[in-house]
Amino acid sequence: MNNSMVKYLSLCFLSVQTASHVLITRYSRTADTSHPYLPRTTVALVEVTKLLICIAIHFCNKGFRISVTFTSILDEVVRKPKECLKLSVPALLYVCQNCLLFVALSNLNSATYQVCYQLKILTTALFSVFMLSKRLSSTQWLALLLLTIGVVLVQVMKSEDDGSMSDSTLGSVYASMMAVLLASCLSGFNGVYFEKVLKSSKQSLWIRNIQLAGASILIAFTSLYLFDYEAIQTAGFFQGYTWATWAVICLSVISGLTVAIVVKYADNILKGFAVSISILISTFISFYFLDDFEPNFGFFLGAPMVIGATFLYGMNFEKAKPA
Ligand code: C5P
């Protein structure tokens, strides 16, 4: 298989995977609201699964030798608490980001959510400029401006449509919008911070991910203890779980590992393109099959702007060199 074929295949895979992740998460939060699952339990399970997978990949990389794998994890993770501490910052913020996305998808349809979450391209660019001293071309700045205007159009026109909603529903929609905006900021910061840590040392991606998942597990289970202890005592850890909840967990694991690989091999652009294509897939499925979405004028104007801006930004990526 040649390089461009691999690129197109990964683009298809990423687009379908991103669309299914968002659609199934939305479905899992809205299908049976009489007994909803606790989102923090899924965040904790996702981190445990990612840790096990990263250990398995590290084991393969070490030639399937148990003692070598064990010693290297001991040396690189347990005996280097400072390195683990460095990753506790993104670990904490990723746990918050992952929980915020459940809040967002409980009240926003998949298409609106995805368009707004593309703001992470803007936040990633800004954090890259400030933290990694990257330089952006004028076309890229123009693309970021278009992206922001597109998201604002989708949001503002959506708010005007909301006149018929009750106060409590409107409050939940605003809370979800705030959640997606905050998650975009966290995504930008976390992505750039992780890239900086990864590229500033010789530790392998999988060791870094073991450190990240280890810290995330501690944080996720502490948050479960603090916020969900009573609910778990009353109805159990797996309360409200359905096939959709398990699908959300599997797809979150796949997305997390994809993000890790994308950061390592620097094809963030491919990921941006994939999300744009997945917006089209989610919009189509939300509208035709799930009856969850009625595009308004703001969406018709804003969504193509966001998708176009993503491509414009990505096409000019090669020109953006570190200062
Ligand atoms: O790109 P975005 O910020 O939306 O995706 C971040 C997701 O990837 C989070 O769910 C985070 O837990 C996961 N991730 C990961 N390993 C990394 C970096 C991110 O699992 N090294």
Side-chain angles (χ1 to χ4, degrees):
M1 235 191 297
N2 60 28
N3 272 356
S4 71
M5 194 152 165
V6 172
K7 208 160 179 155
Y8 284 120
L9 278 181
S10 26
L11 188 61
C12 288
F13 170 78
L14 273 177
S15 309
V16 173
Q17 188 261 326
T18 309
S20 14
H21 186 196
V22 174
L23 287 167
I24 291 189
T25 308
R26 167 79 176 155
Y27 174 79
S28 74
R29 297 308 290 159
T30 48
D32 178 12
T33 43
S34 63
H35 194 189
Y37 63 91
L38 303 170
R40 274 181 285 263
T41 59
T42 66
V43 172
L45 287 181
V46 167
E47 294 305 331
V48 172
T49 316
K50 280 195 293 198
L51 177 69
L52 296 177
I53 293 178
C54 292
I55 293 176
I57 295 175
H58 186 59
F59 175 59
C60 296
N61 289 346
K62 292 285 167 195
F64 299 97
R65 283 167 298 175
I66 293 180
S67 64
V68 180
T69 309
F70 183 72
T71 320
S72 69
I73 292 180
L74 212 61
D75 287 345
E76 299 290 333
V77 181
V78 183
R79 296 201 181 113
K80 286 191 179 153
K82 252 188 178 171
E83 292 300 313
C84 293
L85 210 61
K86 266 189 206 165
L87 284 180
S88 60
V89 177
L92 172 67
L93 298 181
Y94 267 136
V95 170
C96 298
Q97 179 186 332
N98 292 337
C99 292
L100 281 172
L101 295 183
F102 281 99
V103 176
L105 273 168
S106 301
N107 298 292
L108 291 181
N109 61 66
S110 318
T112 308
Y113 158 86
Q114 279 202 289
V115 170
C116 300
Y117 195 36
Q118 277 298 64
L119 265 191
K120 67 186 175 182
I121 294 182
L122 172 71
T123 59
T124 308
L126 294 180
F127 282 114
S128 303
V129 168
F130 292 117
M131 289 166 66
L132 301 178
S133 308
K134 278 198 179 152
R135 238 191 249 151
L136 304 182
S137 66
S138 43
T139 318
Q140 280 182 307
W141 284 114
L142 176 71
L144 293 175
L145 183 70
L146 277 179
L147 179 97
T148 314
I149 297 174
V151 172
V152 170
L153 278 176
V154 170
Q155 289 290 12
V156 170
M157 303 239 179
K158 177 160 181 31
S159 313
E160 282 172 3
D161 273 6
D162 294 341
S164 55
M165 285 185 187
S166 70
D167 281 354
S168 67
T169 318
L170 200 56
S172 310
V173 171
Y174 280 131
S176 296
M177 285 181 183
M178 290 317 290
V180 81
L181 294 182
L182 189 54
S184 307
C185 295
L186 292 179
S187 169
F189 173 80
N190 286 334
V192 174
Y193 184 101
F194 187 77
E195 185 181 339
K196 195 172 170 144
V197 172
L198 190 67
K199 289 176 180 170
S200 65
S201 81
K202 288 211 161 68
Q203 282 196 317
S204 84
L205 169 68
W206 302 110
I207 285 289
R208 282 301 187 190
N209 257 30
I210 290 171
Q211 292 168 338
L212 183 68
S216 301
I217 288 172
L218 284 180
I219 293 163
F221 278 94
T222 308
S223 77
L224 271 181
Y225 180 75
L226 292 177
F227 302 110
D228 295 318
Y229 184 74
E230 261 178 40
I232 292 175
Q233 282 275 308
T234 317
F237 189 93
F238 296 105
Q239 58 186 284
Y241 269 48
T242 60
W243 67 267
T245 323
W246 291 107
V248 168
I249 293 174
C250 292
L251 289 165
S252 304
V253 170
I254 298 173
S255 312
L257 296 175
T258 313
V259 170
I261 294 169
V262 159
V263 171
K264 167 82 178 168
Y265 298 102
D267 219 344
N268 263 309
I269 301 311
L270 188 73
K271 197 165 137 259
F273 290 167
V275 177
S276 278
I277 297 170
S278 74
I279 291 174
L280 299 176
I281 303 176
S282 323
T283 306
F284 182 79
I285 296 181
S286 288
F287 181 70
Y288 283 105
F289 296 102
L290 301 181
D291 206 12
D292 185 30
F293 177 54
E294 190 107 10
N296 59 8
F297 186 60
F299 191 88
F300 274 122
L301 217 61
M305 242 174 168
V306 170
I307 294 170
T310 311
F311 279 86
L312 186 62
Y313 183 80
M315 302 286 188
N316 281 273
F317 191 68
E318 295 306 323
K319 292 183 194 154
K321 296 269 184 293

